[in-house]
Amino acid sequence: MKFHIVKFGSRALLAMPADMPQLLESAITCYPAHTRKKRLIRLVLHMLSRVRLIRHLFSERPLSLPGVGEIDFEEWMRVLCERLSVPEAFPVLVWPADPARGRIYLYLLDAVGRGIGFCKLGLDRQNNDLIEHEWQALVHLESMQLKHSRIPKLLASGDLKGASYLIAEMTPPGARVVDWHLDSSIDENIAEYAGSSRLIERAEIESLPWWPKIRDKYAHNHAFMNEVNAAVTHGLDVCLAHGDLNCTNVLRDGNEVWLLDWEQSDQSAPCLTDQVCVAVDKLWAEHSLDPATNLLEFMQLFPESDDRIMHGRVVMALAYLGSVGFTPAIAIIEAWFPTTSEVG
């Protein structure tokens, strides 16, 4: 199978099946437009498609993926079609914003451009583990039969030459990224899937998968680790949390709220994890280069006073988010609890 590969400089952004002109518009729409720059790229590609310049500007060629090697896409599509019980499928490949992230995304379309499913393909052990974890999370969430949120339905999962993949339901074409400022709160959605919290003791906390990540991530930040240790001394309230509830993982389609990307979820995450995630993501969007202002506004959102329990919950929510690499949370932690070297 050959593709038209759209590149920005030397970096691949999008690969669309060649010899399928009827798919070009639908394939270009698969390119996520979460930022102004990406919206512009998608608009330009649509314009080029409509004047039939795509195939002239982006030549047809076979595609191989770093970390996976040569892939027989025709054979793989046959396997996936059997798994999905569809007659045929055509892959549209999208690379993540960070080319070194160790994964690739595939949108599977039918012959007239309708969506069949969205596929994540891991290219290394870390991403394979995350994809397998999301598969387990989606199975659990489906069993919950949520009423306030739509979770993409799991369609298939498996292994491709050592690379894990997961195929889920595609979101509606008209769905848009949430606007934290203009759209209504998703607190009700969070409360529904989080369910009741439970108090666990420190010994159990230290046995959870996320605890070593926090310990290793902030071993150098003694002030913050002192707060973390104080927060768990007398136990910790935990619940199911998404763990990466930034705006690009929350879509709105009319009155429906879609919650995507459950790779960082945990059924025993610190309470307030997702509420804090939404709050810091909103602050980051407003002034990402001003950590002092972010911290000041964050403290107003989660007033501490002398409430030791609330203080501990906020600290642990930030610790969890920081340990999984959520940049806005890391910035808040570094502004609130600077390392010894920064203080000196």
Side-chain angles (χ1 to χ4, degrees), residues 132-309:
E132 290 166 10
H133 175 77
E134 183 170 22
W135 172 79
Q136 296 172 356
L138 291 178
V139 170
H140 174 71
L141 288 160
E142 187 171 346
S143 72
M144 295 178 71
Q145 299 182 330
L146 300 175
K147 294 180 173 57
H148 297 299
S149 304
R150 286 291 302 273
I151 310 297
K153 183 180 179 181
L154 180 65
L155 302 179
S157 62
D159 179 272
L160 172 67
K161 297 181 179 179
S164 295
Y165 68 85
L166 175 154
I167 306 175
E169 174 187 14
M170 286 178 65
T171 54
R176 60 175 177 82
V177 172
V178 69
D179 186 321
W180 295 134
H181 298 280
L182 301 178
D183 290 320
S184 56
S185 166
I186 63 168
D187 285 346
E188 187 177 39
N189 307 77
I190 295 173
E192 181 184 29
Y193 67 71
S196 301
S197 63
R198 62 188 182 94
L199 179 66
I200 61 175
E201 299 301 322
R202 175 155 189 159
E204 184 175 353
I205 296 168
E206 293 180 350
S207 70
L208 296 175
W210 51 261
W211 177 257
K213 297 178 183 178
I214 292 176
R215 185 190 59 212
D216 296 343
K217 173 84 173 176
Y218 293 104
H220 68 288
N221 193 329
H222 302 299
F224 185 60
M225 280 307 299
N226 286 340
E227 295 286 347
V228 167
N229 285 315
V232 300
T233 297
H234 301 291
L236 179 70
D237 286 310
V238 297
C239 64
L240 172 59
H242 179 283
D244 188 16
L245 216 52
N246 69 80
C247 62
T248 64
N249 287 333
V250 183
L251 304 185
R252 284 192 173 270
D253 180 44
N255 293 324
E256 284 191 323
V257 175
W258 286 74
L259 302 179
L260 316 179
D261 198 355
W262 290 80
E263 294 178 5
Q264 305 293 357
S265 65
D266 198 293
Q267 296 189 45
S268 297
C271 286
L272 289 188
T273 292
D274 287 344
Q275 291 89 336
V276 167
C277 187
V278 170
V280 297
D281 190 55
K282 180 178 178 180
L283 292 172
W284 184 262
E286 291 176 336
H287 25 68
S288 59
L289 299 180
D290 189 355
T293 299
N294 276 346
L295 177 58
L296 180 62
E297 295 189 16
F298 178 80
M299 299 296 282
Q300 293 171 350
L301 291 171
F302 297 93
E304 298 176 64
S305 63
D306 294 323
D307 189 340
R308 176 183 58 81
I309 294 177

Side-chain angles (χ1 to χ4, degrees), residues 4 24 48-49 51-60:
H4 296 294
L24 286 180
L48 293 173
S49 173
V51 296
R52 300 183 179 181
L53 286 178
I54 289 288
R55 62 177 53 201
H56 298 292
L57 294 174
F58 308 105
S59 59
E60 302 177 10

